[in-house]
Amino acid sequence: MQEKHPDMVLLDLVMPDMNGMQVLEKMQSDPDLQMIPVCLVTSGSFELESLSQMGRQIIIYQAGGIRP
């Protein structure tokens, strides 16, 4: 992302080496990346309170997941 800034990031919170919250924290600490919109797409549960501390947001939550 630092070499070529995307227009938007689709991010899963559950990943093997680094979780999505860690990615968000790194993006927020980098002035070049902090204004890139992020769309969280995940099947895992997450705490809305943690996300609310990240700044501007729109949350759409579908209980039980979504179907393609």
Side-chain angles (χ1 to χ4, degrees):
M1 281 190 278
Q2 290 172 334
E3 292 177 15
K4 186 173 181 182
H5 295 172
D7 293 329
M8 176 185 222
V9 173
L10 297 175
L11 180 64
D12 193 340
L13 292 180
V14 181
M15 299 184 295
D17 296 326
M18 175 186 283
N19 69 42
M21 292 303 290
Q22 291 169 317
V23 172
L24 287 173
E25 288 171 9
K26 285 188 178 279
M27 288 180 71
Q28 287 296 310
S29 68
D30 186 329
D32 291 331
L33 301 178
Q34 61 186 204
M35 295 308 291
I36 297 173
V38 177
C39 178
L40 298 177
V41 181
T42 187
S43 62
S45 62
F46 57 92
E47 297 181 38
L48 294 178
E49 292 175 16
S50 298
L51 292 174
S52 67
Q53 297 173 8
M54 301 305 269
R56 297 174 304 275
Q57 62 181 308
I58 297 173
I59 297 174
I60 300 170
Y61 177 74
Q62 173 69 32
I66 58 174
R67 288 181 271 162

